[in-house]
Amino acid sequence: MQPERADAILGFLALADRLKSVERRGRVVLPDGATRRENSAEHCWSLALIGTLLHQDVAQPLDLGRALMMVAIHDLVEIEAGDTFAYDAAGRATQAAREAAAAETVFALLPEDLAGRLRALWEEFEAGETPEARFAMACDRMQGFLQNVLSGGIAWRENGVTRADTAPRMDPAIAVDPVFATLIGRLYERAEADRLLGPPA
């Protein structure tokens, strides 16, 4: 490996490390019962674990390695664009443009071949048209929902999120495979039993 390539890769990894400081709205419950905000790197690890656990249970064969690559890089743009809360309508209106601009900055740090490969994976995830992208999306949506259930719905309550509010986000994940329908359905049951989601306005 040429020194220039090595330096570019190390520079990119240094930037990527900043994903650990991008906070999400979801909360992590600590052993003493206190909570803190989850960061985007933790989110990516958690949904990678979900994918690792579920990939053999879904009906459609998929390339787990490709799906996990998408999981690993799908939120790197948040280093520049920040995390957009799933139920922030104003933030979501500008999300695509902000993240596309961020992708230009983030992936440009890599050597051209790697930049092209990672950018293509990010675009594949965003388009959601391949089995791997749909699977990664379902893992992503399920992880956020699971995190809210595990933390007692703090972020939901703080933002007045109702079950109806969650449907546009969760229905596409549920539709990916009966495995996701079952698991997300069970999470809805827990959320309703614990009254974590607010009543309709």
Side-chain angles (χ1 to χ4, degrees), residues 24 74-75 77-78 80-103 122 125-126 140-141 169:
R24 294 166 53 83
H74 83 287
D75 275 344
V77 294
E78 292 183 359
E80 296 292 330
D83 178 65
T84 302
F85 184 49
Y87 305 104
D88 174 5
R92 289 186 60 80
T94 64
Q95 181 179 8
R98 286 184 291 108
E99 291 188 350
W122 178 75
F125 176 85
E126 291 297 312
D140 182 40
R141 306 265 174 107
R169 182 157 182 85

mmCIF file of all heavy atoms in Angstrom, residues 24 74-75 77-78 80-103 122 125-126 140-141 169:
data_model
loop_
_atom_site.group_PDB
_atom_site.id
_atom_site.type_symbol
_atom_site.label_atom_id
_atom_site.label_comp_id
_atom_site.label_asym_id
_atom_site.label_seq_id
_atom_site.Cartn_x
_atom_site.Cartn_y
_atom_site.Cartn_z
ATOM 1 N N ARG A 24 -28.227 10.718 19.174
ATOM 2 C CA ARG A 24 -29.574 10.461 18.684
ATOM 3 C C ARG A 24 -30.563 10.819 19.795
ATOM 4 O O ARG A 24 -30.167 11.053 20.929
ATOM 5 C CB ARG A 24 -29.703 8.979 18.308
ATOM 6 C CG ARG A 24 -28.831 8.589 17.130
ATOM 7 C CD ARG A 24 -28.715 7.068 16.977
ATOM 8 N NE ARG A 24 -29.978 6.367 16.929
ATOM 9 C CZ ARG A 24 -30.727 6.218 15.842
ATOM 10 N NH1 ARG A 24 -30.312 6.725 14.689
ATOM 11 N NH2 ARG A 24 -31.857 5.550 15.879
ATOM 12 N N HIS A 74 -24.074 3.573 6.541
ATOM 13 C CA HIS A 74 -25.281 4.334 6.190
ATOM 14 C C HIS A 74 -25.437 5.639 6.970
ATOM 15 O O HIS A 74 -26.057 6.579 6.478
ATOM 16 C CB HIS A 74 -26.540 3.462 6.332
ATOM 17 C CG HIS A 74 -27.081 3.372 7.724
ATOM 18 N ND1 HIS A 74 -26.473 2.643 8.720
ATOM 19 C CD2 HIS A 74 -28.179 3.934 8.288
ATOM 20 C CE1 HIS A 74 -27.177 2.749 9.836
ATOM 21 N NE2 HIS A 74 -28.210 3.529 9.608
ATOM 22 N N ASP A 75 -24.884 5.711 8.171
ATOM 23 C CA ASP A 75 -25.038 6.926 8.967
ATOM 24 C C ASP A 75 -23.778 7.786 9.025
ATOM 25 O O ASP A 75 -23.742 8.777 9.758
ATOM 26 C CB ASP A 75 -25.483 6.583 10.396
ATOM 27 C CG ASP A 75 -26.986 6.417 10.524
ATOM 28 O OD1 ASP A 75 -27.714 6.857 9.603
ATOM 29 O OD2 ASP A 75 -27.445 5.863 11.537
ATOM 30 N N VAL A 77 -22.791 9.937 7.060
ATOM 31 C CA VAL A 77 -23.117 11.311 6.658
ATOM 32 C C VAL A 77 -23.568 12.159 7.841
ATOM 33 O O VAL A 77 -23.495 13.388 7.795
ATOM 34 C CB VAL A 77 -24.191 11.329 5.549
ATOM 35 C CG1 VAL A 77 -23.643 10.721 4.265
ATOM 36 C CG2 VAL A 77 -25.470 10.624 5.993
ATOM 37 N N GLU A 78 -23.998 11.512 8.919
ATOM 38 C CA GLU A 78 -24.452 12.260 10.092
ATOM 39 C C GLU A 78 -23.302 13.002 10.775
ATOM 40 O O GLU A 78 -23.541 13.916 11.562
ATOM 41 C CB GLU A 78 -25.149 11.326 11.078
ATOM 42 C CG GLU A 78 -26.463 10.792 10.554
ATOM 43 C CD GLU A 78 -27.203 9.921 11.552
ATOM 44 O OE1 GLU A 78 -26.679 9.713 12.677
ATOM 45 O OE2 GLU A 78 -28.299 9.453 11.211
ATOM 46 N N GLU A 80 -21.406 15.037 9.381
ATOM 47 C CA GLU A 80 -21.533 16.404 8.858
ATOM 48 C C GLU A 80 -22.966 16.927 8.946
ATOM 49 O O GLU A 80 -23.178 18.109 9.198
ATOM 50 C CB GLU A 80 -21.061 16.452 7.395
ATOM 51 C CG GLU A 80 -19.603 16.126 7.200
ATOM 52 C CD GLU A 80 -18.672 17.184 7.775
ATOM 53 O OE1 GLU A 80 -19.057 18.370 7.816
ATOM 54 O OE2 GLU A 80 -17.558 16.821 8.199
ATOM 55 N N ALA A 81 -23.950 16.061 8.723
ATOM 56 C CA ALA A 81 -25.347 16.512 8.635
ATOM 57 C C ALA A 81 -26.090 16.448 9.956
ATOM 58 O O ALA A 81 -27.162 17.040 10.098
ATOM 59 C CB ALA A 81 -26.093 15.676 7.587
ATOM 60 N N GLY A 82 -25.545 15.721 10.938
ATOM 61 C CA GLY A 82 -26.255 15.508 12.189
ATOM 62 C C GLY A 82 -27.327 14.450 12.038
ATOM 63 O O GLY A 82 -27.719 14.085 10.930
ATOM 64 N N ASP A 83 -27.790 13.938 13.162
ATOM 65 C CA ASP A 83 -28.877 12.954 13.145
ATOM 66 C C ASP A 83 -30.208 13.684 12.993
ATOM 67 O O ASP A 83 -30.410 14.753 13.575
ATOM 68 C CB ASP A 83 -28.885 12.143 14.447
ATOM 69 C CG ASP A 83 -30.028 11.141 14.481
ATOM 70 O OD1 ASP A 83 -30.024 10.220 13.649
ATOM 71 O OD2 ASP A 83 -30.930 11.298 15.333
ATOM 72 N N THR A 84 -31.087 13.113 12.207
ATOM 73 C CA THR A 84 -32.428 13.669 12.043
ATOM 74 C C THR A 84 -33.417 12.757 12.762
ATOM 75 O O THR A 84 -33.537 11.580 12.417
ATOM 76 C CB THR A 84 -32.814 13.777 10.551
ATOM 77 O OG1 THR A 84 -31.843 14.597 9.890
ATOM 78 C CG2 THR A 84 -34.194 14.391 10.392
ATOM 79 N N PHE A 85 -34.093 13.291 13.754
ATOM 80 C CA PHE A 85 -35.059 12.510 14.520
ATOM 81 C C PHE A 85 -36.181 12.059 13.588
ATOM 82 O O PHE A 85 -36.694 12.843 12.778
ATOM 83 C CB PHE A 85 -35.610 13.362 15.661
ATOM 84 C CG PHE A 85 -36.553 12.646 16.583
ATOM 85 C CD1 PHE A 85 -36.243 11.405 17.119
ATOM 86 C CD2 PHE A 85 -37.759 13.233 16.948
ATOM 87 C CE1 PHE A 85 -37.113 10.753 17.984
ATOM 88 C CE2 PHE A 85 -38.631 12.600 17.814
ATOM 89 C CZ PHE A 85 -38.309 11.357 18.331
ATOM 90 N N ALA A 86 -36.542 10.799 13.704
ATOM 91 C CA ALA A 86 -37.522 10.205 12.791
ATOM 92 C C ALA A 86 -38.860 10.940 12.789
ATOM 93 O O ALA A 86 -39.586 10.896 11.794
ATOM 94 C CB ALA A 86 -37.740 8.738 13.170
ATOM 95 N N TYR A 87 -39.201 11.624 13.891
ATOM 96 C CA TYR A 87 -40.515 12.256 13.994
ATOM 97 C C TYR A 87 -40.423 13.785 13.985
ATOM 98 O O TYR A 87 -41.319 14.468 14.454
ATOM 99 C CB TYR A 87 -41.227 11.734 15.251
ATOM 100 C CG TYR A 87 -41.282 10.223 15.227
ATOM 101 C CD1 TYR A 87 -40.429 9.463 16.027
ATOM 102 C CD2 TYR A 87 -42.119 9.555 14.344
ATOM 103 C CE1 TYR A 87 -40.443 8.072 15.964
ATOM 104 C CE2 TYR A 87 -42.139 8.171 14.271
ATOM 105 C CZ TYR A 87 -41.301 7.433 15.090
ATOM 106 O OH TYR A 87 -41.305 6.067 15.009
ATOM 107 N N ASP A 88 -39.341 14.298 13.415
ATOM 108 C CA ASP A 88 -39.140 15.736 13.248
ATOM 109 C C ASP A 88 -39.451 16.078 11.790
ATOM 110 O O ASP A 88 -38.598 15.934 10.916
ATOM 111 C CB ASP A 88 -37.699 16.098 13.610
ATOM 112 C CG ASP A 88 -37.348 17.550 13.327
ATOM 113 O OD1 ASP A 88 -38.242 18.317 12.926
ATOM 114 O OD2 ASP A 88 -36.174 17.908 13.508
ATOM 115 N N ALA A 89 -40.664 16.536 11.529
ATOM 116 C CA ALA A 89 -41.098 16.786 10.144
ATOM 117 C C ALA A 89 -40.237 17.844 9.459
ATOM 118 O O ALA A 89 -39.874 17.692 8.288
ATOM 119 C CB ALA A 89 -42.570 17.200 10.122
ATOM 120 N N ALA A 90 -39.891 18.896 10.170
ATOM 121 C CA ALA A 90 -39.080 19.959 9.568
ATOM 122 C C ALA A 90 -37.687 19.441 9.229
ATOM 123 O O ALA A 90 -37.141 19.728 8.155
ATOM 124 C CB ALA A 90 -38.991 21.156 10.512
ATOM 125 N N GLY A 91 -37.101 18.678 10.129
ATOM 126 C CA GLY A 91 -35.780 18.107 9.882
ATOM 127 C C GLY A 91 -35.789 17.123 8.722
ATOM 128 O O GLY A 91 -34.868 17.112 7.896
ATOM 129 N N ARG A 92 -36.834 16.335 8.643
ATOM 130 C CA ARG A 92 -36.923 15.342 7.568
ATOM 131 C C ARG A 92 -37.101 16.011 6.197
ATOM 132 O O ARG A 92 -36.688 15.467 5.182
ATOM 133 C CB ARG A 92 -38.045 14.349 7.846
ATOM 134 C CG ARG A 92 -37.698 13.412 9.015
ATOM 135 C CD ARG A 92 -38.724 12.322 9.222
ATOM 136 N NE ARG A 92 -38.865 11.470 8.063
ATOM 137 C CZ ARG A 92 -38.036 10.472 7.734
ATOM 138 N NH1 ARG A 92 -36.970 10.238 8.471
ATOM 139 N NH2 ARG A 92 -38.263 9.733 6.677
ATOM 140 N N ALA A 93 -37.693 17.194 6.184
ATOM 141 C CA ALA A 93 -37.902 17.896 4.911
ATOM 142 C C ALA A 93 -36.584 18.288 4.259
ATOM 143 O O ALA A 93 -36.498 18.386 3.034
ATOM 144 C CB ALA A 93 -38.770 19.128 5.133
ATOM 145 N N THR A 94 -35.554 18.517 5.057
ATOM 146 C CA THR A 94 -34.246 18.919 4.517
ATOM 147 C C THR A 94 -33.202 17.810 4.611
ATOM 148 O O THR A 94 -32.062 17.997 4.196
ATOM 149 C CB THR A 94 -33.717 20.154 5.273
ATOM 150 O OG1 THR A 94 -33.490 19.812 6.654
ATOM 151 C CG2 THR A 94 -34.701 21.318 5.189
ATOM 152 N N GLN A 95 -33.590 16.674 5.155
ATOM 153 C CA GLN A 95 -32.627 15.599 5.430
ATOM 154 C C GLN A 95 -31.902 15.113 4.183
ATOM 155 O O GLN A 95 -30.676 14.982 4.182
ATOM 156 C CB GLN A 95 -33.342 14.425 6.112
ATOM 157 C CG GLN A 95 -32.412 13.277 6.463
ATOM 158 C CD GLN A 95 -33.147 12.138 7.167
ATOM 159 O OE1 GLN A 95 -34.379 12.135 7.264
ATOM 160 N NE2 GLN A 95 -32.396 11.184 7.662
ATOM 161 N N ALA A 96 -32.626 14.821 3.125
ATOM 162 C CA ALA A 96 -32.004 14.253 1.926
ATOM 163 C C ALA A 96 -30.948 15.200 1.354
ATOM 164 O O ALA A 96 -29.832 14.772 1.015
ATOM 165 C CB ALA A 96 -33.060 13.934 0.875
ATOM 166 N N ALA A 97 -31.263 16.471 1.282
ATOM 167 C CA ALA A 97 -30.310 17.441 0.732
ATOM 168 C C ALA A 97 -29.098 17.594 1.639
ATOM 169 O O ALA A 97 -27.947 17.643 1.164
ATOM 170 C CB ALA A 97 -30.986 18.792 0.532
ATOM 171 N N ARG A 98 -29.314 17.675 2.945
ATOM 172 C CA ARG A 98 -28.200 17.817 3.880
ATOM 173 C C ARG A 98 -27.284 16.595 3.841
ATOM 174 O O ARG A 98 -26.056 16.713 3.866
ATOM 175 C CB ARG A 98 -28.722 18.018 5.309
ATOM 176 C CG ARG A 98 -29.298 19.398 5.566
ATOM 177 C CD ARG A 98 -29.718 19.594 7.022
ATOM 178 N NE ARG A 98 -30.877 18.801 7.387
ATOM 179 C CZ ARG A 98 -30.859 17.737 8.175
ATOM 180 N NH1 ARG A 98 -29.723 17.303 8.707
ATOM 181 N NH2 ARG A 98 -31.977 17.074 8.455
ATOM 182 N N GLU A 99 -27.892 15.415 3.770
ATOM 183 C CA GLU A 99 -27.083 14.199 3.782
ATOM 184 C C GLU A 99 -26.358 13.988 2.454
ATOM 185 O O GLU A 99 -25.235 13.474 2.441
ATOM 186 C CB GLU A 99 -27.954 13.006 4.162
ATOM 187 C CG GLU A 99 -28.404 13.074 5.614
ATOM 188 C CD GLU A 99 -29.120 11.834 6.108
ATOM 189 O OE1 GLU A 99 -29.449 10.950 5.272
ATOM 190 O OE2 GLU A 99 -29.365 11.739 7.317
ATOM 191 N N ALA A 100 -26.970 14.377 1.349
ATOM 192 C CA ALA A 100 -26.275 14.273 0.058
ATOM 193 C C ALA A 100 -25.044 15.174 0.034
ATOM 194 O O ALA A 100 -23.974 14.782 -0.454
ATOM 195 C CB ALA A 100 -27.228 14.625 -1.083
ATOM 196 N N ALA A 101 -25.190 16.379 0.573
ATOM 197 C CA ALA A 101 -24.042 17.289 0.654
ATOM 198 C C ALA A 101 -22.972 16.716 1.579
ATOM 199 O O ALA A 101 -21.769 16.799 1.286
ATOM 200 C CB ALA A 101 -24.498 18.663 1.133
ATOM 201 N N ALA A 102 -23.400 16.135 2.678
ATOM 202 C CA ALA A 102 -22.452 15.539 3.616
ATOM 203 C C ALA A 102 -21.715 14.364 2.985
ATOM 204 O O ALA A 102 -20.519 14.161 3.223
ATOM 205 C CB ALA A 102 -23.182 15.083 4.874
ATOM 206 N N ALA A 103 -22.411 13.578 2.170
ATOM 207 C CA ALA A 103 -21.780 12.432 1.500
ATOM 208 C C ALA A 103 -20.633 12.895 0.614
ATOM 209 O O ALA A 103 -19.582 12.235 0.543
ATOM 210 C CB ALA A 103 -22.814 11.657 0.686
ATOM 211 N N TRP A 122 -23.887 3.501 0.092
ATOM 212 C CA TRP A 122 -24.752 4.465 0.778
ATOM 213 C C TRP A 122 -25.976 4.775 -0.093
ATOM 214 O O TRP A 122 -27.104 4.802 0.401
ATOM 215 C CB TRP A 122 -23.958 5.742 1.090
ATOM 216 C CG TRP A 122 -24.794 6.790 1.757
ATOM 217 C CD1 TRP A 122 -25.215 6.804 3.055
ATOM 218 C CD2 TRP A 122 -25.331 7.971 1.150
ATOM 219 N NE1 TRP A 122 -25.979 7.924 3.294
ATOM 220 C CE2 TRP A 122 -26.056 8.651 2.148
ATOM 221 C CE3 TRP A 122 -25.251 8.512 -0.127
ATOM 222 C CZ2 TRP A 122 -26.714 9.858 1.885
ATOM 223 C CZ3 TRP A 122 -25.912 9.711 -0.386
ATOM 224 C CH2 TRP A 122 -26.633 10.367 0.618
ATOM 225 N N PHE A 125 -28.404 1.856 -0.077
ATOM 226 C CA PHE A 125 -29.208 1.845 1.146
ATOM 227 C C PHE A 125 -30.325 2.877 1.054
ATOM 228 O O PHE A 125 -31.488 2.586 1.371
ATOM 229 C CB PHE A 125 -28.323 2.132 2.364
ATOM 230 C CG PHE A 125 -29.084 2.223 3.657
ATOM 231 C CD1 PHE A 125 -29.376 1.086 4.385
ATOM 232 C CD2 PHE A 125 -29.541 3.447 4.139
ATOM 233 C CE1 PHE A 125 -30.098 1.165 5.581
ATOM 234 C CE2 PHE A 125 -30.260 3.543 5.312
ATOM 235 C CZ PHE A 125 -30.535 2.396 6.040
ATOM 236 N N GLU A 126 -29.986 4.078 0.635
ATOM 237 C CA GLU A 126 -30.976 5.154 0.559
ATOM 238 C C GLU A 126 -32.085 4.830 -0.445
ATOM 239 O O GLU A 126 -33.252 5.145 -0.199
ATOM 240 C CB GLU A 126 -30.297 6.474 0.182
ATOM 241 C CG GLU A 126 -29.396 7.042 1.258
ATOM 242 C CD GLU A 126 -30.143 7.395 2.524
ATOM 243 O OE1 GLU A 126 -31.195 8.063 2.439
ATOM 244 O OE2 GLU A 126 -29.700 6.986 3.618
ATOM 245 N N ASP A 140 -32.614 -1.238 10.652
ATOM 246 C CA ASP A 140 -32.440 0.136 11.121
ATOM 247 C C ASP A 140 -33.701 0.632 11.835
ATOM 248 O O ASP A 140 -33.639 1.160 12.947
ATOM 249 C CB ASP A 140 -32.122 1.008 9.898
ATOM 250 C CG ASP A 140 -31.855 2.461 10.242
ATOM 251 O OD1 ASP A 140 -31.204 2.725 11.262
ATOM 252 O OD2 ASP A 140 -32.286 3.334 9.463
ATOM 253 N N ARG A 141 -34.836 0.449 11.209
ATOM 254 C CA ARG A 141 -36.093 0.928 11.797
ATOM 255 C C ARG A 141 -36.426 0.149 13.073
ATOM 256 O O ARG A 141 -36.883 0.717 14.062
ATOM 257 C CB ARG A 141 -37.220 0.809 10.780
ATOM 258 C CG ARG A 141 -36.928 1.501 9.448
ATOM 259 C CD ARG A 141 -37.471 2.894 9.384
ATOM 260 N NE ARG A 141 -37.052 3.583 8.171
ATOM 261 C CZ ARG A 141 -37.843 3.836 7.138
ATOM 262 N NH1 ARG A 141 -39.097 3.419 7.143
ATOM 263 N NH2 ARG A 141 -37.379 4.505 6.099
ATOM 264 N N ARG A 169 -43.209 5.038 9.434
ATOM 265 C CA ARG A 169 -41.812 4.594 9.558
ATOM 266 C C ARG A 169 -41.718 3.081 9.709
ATOM 267 O O ARG A 169 -40.837 2.446 9.141
ATOM 268 C CB ARG A 169 -41.164 5.280 10.758
ATOM 269 C CG ARG A 169 -39.704 4.920 10.918
ATOM 270 C CD ARG A 169 -38.960 5.962 11.690
ATOM 271 N NE ARG A 169 -37.557 5.622 11.789
ATOM 272 C CZ ARG A 169 -36.648 5.908 10.882
ATOM 273 N NH1 ARG A 169 -36.991 6.542 9.777
ATOM 274 N NH2 ARG A 169 -35.384 5.564 11.047
#
